[in-house]
Amino acid sequence: MDVNQLAQVDWARAQFALTACFHFLFVPLTLGLSFMIALMETLYYWKKDPFWLKATQFWMRLFGVNFAIGVATGLILEFEFGTNWSKYSWIVGDIFGAPLAIEGLFAFFLEATFFAVMFFGWNRVSARFHLFSTWMVAFGSNLSALWILVANGWMQYPAGTYFNIDNFRNEMLSFSQVLFSPVATFKFIHTVSSSMVVSALFVMGICAWYLIKKREQIFAKKCMVFASSFGFVAALAVGMTGDGSAYWVAQTQPAKLAAMEGLYKGSKGAGLTLLGIFNSDKKIGDQQEAYSFDIKIPYMLSFLSQRDFNAFVPGLEDLVYGNPENNIMGAVEKIQKGKEALNSLELYQRAKKAKDEAGQLKAKETFDLNSRYLGYAYLEKPESIAPPVAPVAHSFRIMVGLGFYFIVLFAFVIYVLRANQLEKYPWLLWLSLFSIPLGYLASQLGWVVAELGRQPWVIQDLLPTAKGVTDIEKASIQVTFFLFLILFSVLLLAEIRILLKQIQVGPEAKH
Amino acid sequence: MKVENGIHPLKRFYLFYHDGFKQMKLGKILWKIIFIKIFIMFFIIKPFFYPTAKFKNSSEKEKILKIESDFLGPLNK
């Protein structure tokens, strides 16, 4: 790919992806480790065992490093909304406003207030109030994530709103429909549980390093039992919520599901591709096979996506060209409806300017009939509805594979530690250590599937990504892209260095 | 407000933070990083590279007209 050929929208996307991926290096540890610390402190409060106090304070120190380096990086995303995505921000403003404002309040009041008590409050407030503060930090940071994910969930499935044709904005009809949309709900639970897995791998990996170095052995073994048990439960929850998420993807974003599976031709009783070599040259409508080799579980895709072993699962070609036999409207027809919506929008504006009330009413009726296809009017060709299949399919498969690997790893670590047979499996310690980055990889790939998989839409079916970008110079976005790359790299190196130093010092040091 | 151990609650609140910050070791480095980062973000990146966009500065009516012309653009081609 020639970088000079990239359009302004590509640079705006690249910059947003860079910032979001960097921001999400810190978020999972904040979300998951906060609960682990709260549980450790609860054990200390309950059992009065000083071991759990030492464990709480050590992991709290690493939590603090991660939080400090990551804090405020999310604000850069908000700069980008304003500058690079101002049209998008206008169109979604009312929907994003409420969740993001609540997020700000939660972040400020819950996290900021109780964070200070959590770090400064040892021996200065009662043990009970300190424990309460630690739990409040855990709930506060996770509730902050809830509002961000509600906003993201709405972009994937714009429920509870309508498009106001007078001001070209989406406006809220029902806050509860936005908040409790199944897409947002599963997205939140899946993100939180996967963050718990990342944190459990982090704690387990560091404990493994202590054991490899034959340091802090009692501390490391006990924390490893704790982390592997916590991680095992969280990893099972990730599997269950992942299933729920995929089900709702099938209902609301069938092109994303088809891309995740590399499914071009739909079928009844569709099989789930377990392993495969994807043919990257495959194009919609050609005669090539999507996989040069694959292993499928028969009927499983139909069951997982429609809860029926014999249900029809549409492939990309069905979604592009339509499949009347299975009641699938194709993008060809949707583009036509989108153009009718756009045409009626123009007629409405003309009638409004001419103060022609009857004309306005008629145009609005036509618009309302077709408004859910509005975004299709801007697509150049029906094939544009397909996300980039190869990166989505590969990311999905690696993420799911890692998810199963984590379940097995946690279960095996629990078994080995319970049976006191760690000496028999020295490689398990190395495996645990090198699994720390795998947790982050799975987490990032999850976002690749979610965000790349919904292309070409920035708001599903309503606004293509290219229509949301601001008319600014490509060079401005390029400069800030590289500026952020440098800033983020420096911050990441600082975090890794400080974390490594703290791990080297060990649990005995004071913060 | 209830005075406890002869210390006014507001003073206790102040001392809580004052002593907390004073006793920090690792925390001091982290706060420095936070301040440097916020300085770079708000005083370098935002004003120089993210000047308030023309669109953002427009009135609501101007914004609607701009979005309208963008949205309806394809029909006018």
Side-chain angles (χ1 to χ4, degrees), chain A residues 15 61 64-65 68-73 75-76 79-80 82-84 86-87 90-91 113 116-117 120-121 124-125 163 166-168 342-343 345-346 349 353 374 378 463 467 471 479-480 483-484 487 491 494 498 502 510-511, chain B residues 12 15-31 33-34 36-38 40-42 44-46 49-56 59-61 63-76:
Chain A
Q15 190 182 93
R61 199 157 14 113
V65 175
I69 309 281
V71 75
T73 52
L75 286 177
I76 299 176
F79 293 171
E80 290 171 22
T83 310
N84 297 353
S86 59
K87 290 181 200 165
W90 170 263
I91 290 161
T113 310
V117 179
F120 299 160
R124 295 183 70 97
V125 296
F163 185 79
D166 286 306
N167 62 11
F168 292 82
L342 199 59
N343 195 36
L345 194 56
E346 197 191 23
Q349 297 303 330
K353 276 166 199 159
L374 179 64
Y378 301 102
L463 187 71
K467 287 299 284 182
D471 302 322
V479 170
T480 41
L483 205 70
F484 288 147
L487 176 69
L491 283 173
I498 299 171
Q502 291 305 313
K510 296 281 174 204
H511 61 284
Chain B
R12 271 196 291 138
L15 286 175
F16 179 82
Y17 280 92
H18 175 268
D19 295 349
F21 280 112
K22 210 173 165 186
Q23 285 164 16
M24 279 191 311
K25 288 177 186 168
L26 169 66
K28 279 183 184 149
I29 302 168
L30 298 176
W31 273 110
I33 293 175
I34 292 173
I36 292 169
K37 183 170 57 178
I38 287 176
I40 294 172
M41 279 168 52
F42 284 96
I44 299 176
I45 294 176
K46 196 162 191 293
F49 298 99
Y50 281 93
T52 308
K54 204 175 155 189
F55 181 82
K56 210 176 167 187
S59 68
E60 182 138 331
K61 203 174 173 186
K63 283 179 185 171
I64 293 172
L65 285 173
K66 171 76 183 137
I67 295 285
E68 182 187 326
S69 77
D70 277 353
F71 254 65
L72 303 178
L75 295 178
N76 301 327

Side-chain angles (χ1 to χ4, degrees), chain A residues 22 69 487-499:
Chain A
F22 175 76
I69 309 281
L487 176 69
F488 294 157
S489 305
V490 171
L491 283 173
L492 189 61
L493 286 174
E495 181 189 24
I496 293 171
R497 210 176 145 197
I498 299 171
L499 274 181

